[in-house]
């Protein structure tokens, strides 16, 4: 049928040209039951009794577009619902059936299809990844994906500041509860006596403590010791640490523990936090009974305060807590943690807790009576004063805990006798009753630094008396950097070693060839 002009729709429904309007529809577009034409009559088929309307309704039911009742609502929203589902459900779970019908990948290789080989399905799955990612990053999800991407970039960019804030928070990391007190001499000292080596030692030590404190969110209090405090008409050199601790407690009123470090110390393992290394389990990491390791031979329980070694036992009638070798046994009662070397107490690295007991101890420790009477006898000054207080004041003992020397204050070889080394398998291979032996550096009697055990802090104590302080500091700094390399740095070093070995082997072969040629 040819038309003289383009047909135009009528306002009431249908078309202006005859023959275009369905025979079973009225002019207004409504169905007329009495005028339904058979489907076979319209398309010229030989199937009688099948009308166009019934075929159309059946097709709508099959495709989910039924227009009546609840099915009409589902039909209208079917496409939106299917698009919101993952790709597998969007196709009704029939992707494999469609792939089989179209024979996708049959006889093909590469990324596009499977083939008969076992790896074809995997390659096809890899080829589907971009399409599936595209479905996930559809227009509706694109904003959410961009938002999460920006969040991840921000976290990576601000990782260090966020980590520092977390570690410093008192409620989260707890770093603000710890203060590191470093006694430096940054002002140049009296009469500018420091030379290049002293400057280098101070620079490395301060940098090491700053890096460690920043990593774990601790406070770092660098004390300028160049100006000596005059007290009781005398220079009290090295006694200032008692007064420095008291001043630090005033500057940091919310801190709980104060860690004193001498300048000649170096943190070998910055990945160890104080909480994990010591304070999360004080019962295991410290010992209260001085009889476990007692180089000063201090008697405990004390017999009395009269100084008479023959006095009857418990003549001063001490309470059970003071008489007990472990005090009350509670870690909450520990207010002072100190290590012991081969000569007794060592205050190059020790911890003090804020408490009323600590205030009383610092007052007695700083009392000028001790200094005036004993300063000519006490070689180690404030250290000997603390040992005297512990020996003669029984109320001190229940709140003092001792920590193995190697845990916070390891010495270099030769600083306190010879290095006795550790067993081949490490200290962990020893039984508990073997830890107290004198043939190795394990247990509470371990003093010297052990690289295989990855000791926390090393203290070059006494290096100024016949040893090279700068040489020891430099060697330990290089060792710490090597032990704490990243994976990438380890790989580069391994590659460099392999290249060096290959070059050395080639050089040896060349020399052998030259020798053979001469012969």
């Amino acid at each position: 049928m040819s038309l003289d002009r383009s047909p135009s729709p009528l306002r009431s429904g249908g078309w202006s040209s005859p023959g275009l309007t369905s025979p079973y529809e009225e002019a207004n577009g409504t169905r007329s039951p009495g005028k339904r034409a058979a489907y076979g009559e319209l398309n010229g088929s030989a199937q009688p009794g099948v009308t166009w309307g019934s075929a159309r309704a059946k097709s709508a039911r099959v495709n989910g577009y039924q227009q009546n009742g609840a099915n009409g609502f589902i039909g209208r929203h079917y496409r939106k619902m299917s698009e919101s589902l993952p790709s597998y459900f969007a196709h009704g779970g029939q992707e494999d059936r469609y792939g089989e019908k179209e024979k996708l990948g049959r006889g093909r290789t590469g990324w596009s299809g499977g083939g008969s080989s076992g790896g074809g399905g995997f390659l096809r799955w890899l080829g589907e990844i971009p399409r599936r990612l595209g479905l996930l990053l559809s227009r509706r999800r694109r904003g959410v994906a961009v938002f999460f991407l920006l969040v991840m970039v921000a976290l990576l960019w601000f990782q260090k500041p966020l980590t520092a804030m977390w570690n410093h928070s008192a409620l989260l990391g707890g770093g603000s509860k710890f203060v590191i007190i470093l006694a430096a001499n940054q002002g140049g000292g009296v009469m500018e006596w420091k030379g290049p080596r002293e400057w280098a030692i101070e620079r490395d030590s301060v940098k090491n403590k700053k890096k460690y404190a920043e990593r774990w969110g601790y406070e770092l209090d660098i004390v300028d010791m160049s100006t000596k405090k005059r007290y009781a008409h005398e220079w009290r050199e090295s006694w200032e640490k008692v007064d420095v601790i008291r001043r630090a407690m005033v500057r940091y009123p919310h801190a709980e523990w104060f860690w004193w470090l001498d300048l000649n110390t170096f943190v070998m393992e910055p990945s160890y936090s104080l909480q994990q290394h010591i304070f999360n389990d004080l019962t295991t990491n410290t010992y209260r009974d001085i009889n476990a390791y007692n180089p000063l031979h201090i008697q405990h329980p004390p017999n009395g305060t009269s100084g008479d070694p023959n006095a009857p036992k418990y003549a001063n009638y001490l309470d059970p807590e003071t008489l007990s070798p472990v005090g009350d046994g509670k870690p909450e009662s520990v207010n002072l943690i100190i290590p012991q070397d081969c000569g007794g107490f060592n205050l190059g690295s020790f911890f003090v807790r804020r408490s009323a007991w600590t205030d009383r101890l610092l007052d007695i420790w700083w009392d000028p009576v001790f200094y005036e009477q004993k300063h000519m006898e006490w070689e180690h000054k404030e250290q000997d004063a603390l040992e005297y207080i512990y020996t003669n004041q029984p109320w001190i003992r229940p709140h003092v805990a001792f920590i193995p020397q190697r845990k916070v204050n390891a010495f270099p070889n030769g600083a306190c006798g010879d290095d006795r080394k550790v067993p081949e398998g490490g200290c962990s291979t020893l039984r508990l009753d073997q830890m107290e032996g004198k043939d190795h550096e394990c247990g509470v009697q371990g003093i010297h630094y052990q690289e295989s055990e990855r000791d926390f802090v090393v203290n070059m104590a006494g290096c100024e008396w016949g040893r090279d302080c700068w040489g020891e500091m430099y060697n330990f700094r290089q060792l710490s950097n090597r032990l704490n390399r990243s994976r990438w740095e380890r790989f580069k070093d391994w590659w460099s070693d392999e290249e060096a070995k290959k070059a050395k082997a080639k050089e040896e072969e060349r020399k052998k060839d030259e020798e053979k040629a001469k012969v």
Side-chain angles (χ1 to χ4, degrees):
M1 180 181 65
S2 61
L3 300 175
D4 296 337
R5 59 186 179 84
S6 300
S8 59
L10 296 176
R11 180 172 299 179
S12 60
W15 297 87
S16 60
S17 300
L20 295 180
T21 304
S22 298
Y24 60 91
E25 291 182 353
E26 295 294 337
N28 57 2
T30 60
R31 293 192 179 104
S32 176
K35 296 182 180 181
R36 289 188 301 177
Y39 181 76
E41 297 175 2
L42 293 177
N43 60 3
S45 65
Q47 297 181 7
V50 181
T51 63
W52 178 271
S54 63
R56 182 180 180 184
K58 184 177 180 180
S59 177
R61 287 196 299 271
V62 172
N63 294 327
Y65 288 98
Q66 181 69 25
Q67 301 294 326
N68 297 327
N71 291 333
F73 173 81
I74 296 177
R76 288 193 299 271
H77 296 278
Y78 175 78
R79 184 175 298 276
K80 295 181 179 180
M81 294 168 60
S82 63
E83 288 181 351
S84 63
L85 294 173
S87 60
Y88 176 81
F89 298 100
H91 293 284
Q94 302 182 15
E95 288 181 330
D96 296 337
R97 195 180 74 180
Y98 290 153
E100 180 64 24
K101 181 184 295 183
E102 298 177 5
K103 296 181 175 53
L104 293 176
R106 182 168 295 181
R108 303 177 186 176
T109 58
W111 294 92
S112 59
S116 59
S117 61
F122 177 72
L123 294 178
R124 186 176 62 183
W125 178 79
L126 289 179
E128 286 290 318
I129 290 179
R131 185 180 66 82
R132 294 176 182 270
L133 291 177
L135 291 174
L136 292 175
L137 296 177
S138 61
R139 182 175 300 176
R140 296 179 181 178
R141 300 187 181 96
R142 192 173 302 163
V144 178
V146 171
F147 172 76
F148 280 107
L149 181 61
L150 293 176
V151 170
M152 292 299 296
V153 171
L155 289 176
L156 292 175
W157 185 266
F158 298 102
Q159 179 183 5
K160 289 186 177 180
L162 292 176
T163 303
M165 290 176 58
W166 177 280
N167 291 333
H168 183 74
S169 174
L171 299 177
L172 300 175
S176 60
K177 296 181 180 180
F178 297 87
V179 177
I180 302 175
I181 304 175
L182 180 63
N185 212 358
Q186 293 182 313
V190 180
M191 303 297 294
E192 301 291 338
W193 57 267
K194 287 197 303 186
R197 287 178 173 266
E198 286 76 13
W199 281 110
I201 292 173
E202 181 181 288
R203 181 188 66 245
D204 288 350
S205 181
V206 172
K207 183 179 179 180
N208 174 251
K209 309 308 184 298
K210 283 184 177 180
K211 185 177 180 180
Y212 179 74
E214 290 175 358
R215 177 167 185 170
W216 295 107
Y218 304 144
E219 300 287 354
L220 178 60
D221 188 14
I222 302 177
V223 182
D224 186 6
M225 302 294 289
S226 60
T227 304
K228 302 298 182 181
K229 285 185 174 296
R230 186 179 294 274
Y231 196 74
H233 308 291
E234 293 286 348
W235 288 104
R236 301 181 65 178
E237 185 180 359
S238 81
W239 282 59
E240 290 80 13
K241 65 176 59 175
V242 181
D243 193 37
V244 166
I245 294 174
R246 297 177 63 179
R247 293 176 179 272
M249 289 184 175
V250 176
R251 282 194 296 270
Y252 301 95
H254 302 291
E256 181 181 2
W257 283 97
F258 296 82
W259 183 19
W260 175 275
L261 282 174
D262 284 348
L263 185 64
N264 290 333
T265 58
F266 198 87
V267 179
M268 297 294 294
E269 299 296 333
S271 60
Y272 296 177
S273 67
L274 293 177
Q275 298 93 314
Q276 177 187 4
H277 189 59
I278 300 173
F279 292 95
N280 287 346
D281 192 1
L282 282 178
T283 303
T284 303
N285 296 321
T286 60
Y287 60 99
R288 307 282 288 271
D289 188 3
I290 193 175
N291 294 316
Y293 180 53
N294 193 1
L296 295 175
H297 305 290
I298 298 175
Q299 188 177 16
H300 189 84
N303 283 343
T305 58
S306 61
D308 183 6
N310 299 321
K313 195 174 184 179
Y314 311 144
N316 47 5
Y317 302 101
L318 300 176
D319 59 275
E321 182 177 314
T322 305
L323 294 175
S324 172
V326 296
D328 59 2
K330 299 178 181 180
E332 296 81 9
S333 63
V334 175
N335 294 315
L336 177 64
I337 302 176
I338 54 178
Q340 294 189 94
D341 57 25
C342 56
F345 294 0
N346 188 283
L347 299 182
S349 172
F350 69 98
F351 298 89
V352 178
R353 189 178 195 170
R354 183 194 301 276
S355 65
W357 179 93
T358 303
D359 292 338
R360 195 188 328 171
L361 172 66
L362 295 178
D363 288 341
I364 297 176
W365 198 356
W366 185 245
D367 196 322
V369 174
F370 283 142
Y371 174 77
E372 290 290 348
Q373 294 182 356
K374 295 289 185 177
H375 72 281
M376 297 299 293
E377 301 178 17
W378 290 341
E379 180 183 359
H380 299 98
K381 299 166 184 177
E382 85 291 345
Q383 192 166 288
D384 292 335
L386 181 62
E387 293 171 352
Y388 180 85
I389 296 173
Y390 183 89
T391 304
N392 296 279
Q393 299 291 331
W395 62 274
I396 298 291
R397 303 188 185 192
H399 298 274
V400 177
F402 301 96
I403 190 168
Q405 179 83 6
R406 283 182 40 226
K407 206 165 187 67
V408 296
N409 198 37
F411 282 177
N413 183 22
C416 202
D418 294 330
D419 187 356
R420 296 166 294 175
K421 305 296 182 181
V422 297
E424 184 176 354
C427 293
S428 58
T429 60
L430 297 177
R431 299 193 310 270
L432 186 61
D433 58 344
Q434 296 175 330
M435 281 291 187
E436 313 308 328
K438 297 181 179 180
D439 55 345
H440 46 68
E441 296 284 350
C442 297
V444 297
Q445 299 186 23
I447 294 176
H448 298 95
Y449 174 82
Q450 301 300 317
E451 177 183 346
S452 60
E453 297 288 311
R454 304 293 292 268
D455 289 338
F456 179 36
V457 177
V458 65
N459 182 7
M460 281 67 73
C463 63
E464 63 272 12
W465 308 105
R467 305 204 321 262
D468 185 6
C469 293
W470 163 240
E472 293 183 3
M473 177 73 74
Y474 176 81
N475 292 332
F476 280 110
R477 185 192 68 185
Q478 295 298 104
L479 177 60
S480 177
N481 293 336
R482 182 175 63 83
L483 294 176
N484 294 278
R485 292 171 298 172
S486 63
R487 293 182 179 179
W488 172 245
E489 291 173 339
R490 292 176 184 271
F491 173 77
K492 290 193 299 182
D493 292 342
W494 171 82
W495 183 266
S496 300
D497 292 341
E498 291 295 324
E499 293 294 329
K501 290 179 181 178
K502 292 179 181 179
K504 185 177 181 181
K506 290 181 179 180
E507 183 66 20
E508 291 178 354
E509 290 180 0
R510 186 184 64 81
K511 290 182 179 179
K512 290 181 180 180
D513 294 339
E514 290 179 354
E515 292 177 357
K516 290 180 179 179
K518 291 180 181 179
V519 174

